[in-house]
Amino acid sequence: MTLVARLKVTLSDVEPQVLRRFDVPLKIKLNRLHDVIQAAMGWTD
């Protein structure tokens, strides 16, 4: 069984409020988490 963390990312000082919730494995590496957050927000580097 893979343990997961449910994350919530909210942008500050933006109207209307922009937020995303997503699940990631607890053992995710920081560079991969960066990619996940960028994809969830619709961003590219």
Side-chain angles (χ1 to χ4, degrees):
M1 177 172 73
T2 302
L3 298 175
V4 299
R6 179 161 291 152
L7 303 179
K8 177 181 171 186
V9 175
T10 306
L11 299 183
S12 299
D13 302 323
V14 176
E15 289 295 329
Q17 184 180 39
V18 175
L19 68 93
R20 301 289 187 272
R21 288 189 182 103
F22 48 91
D23 297 337
V24 295
L26 279 179
K27 293 185 177 185
I28 194 168
K29 295 187 178 191
L30 186 58
N31 64 331
R32 185 68 179 121
L33 179 59
H34 168 80
D35 294 337
V36 171
I37 292 171
Q38 290 233 340
M41 300 304 272
W43 298 336
T44 59
D45 285 328

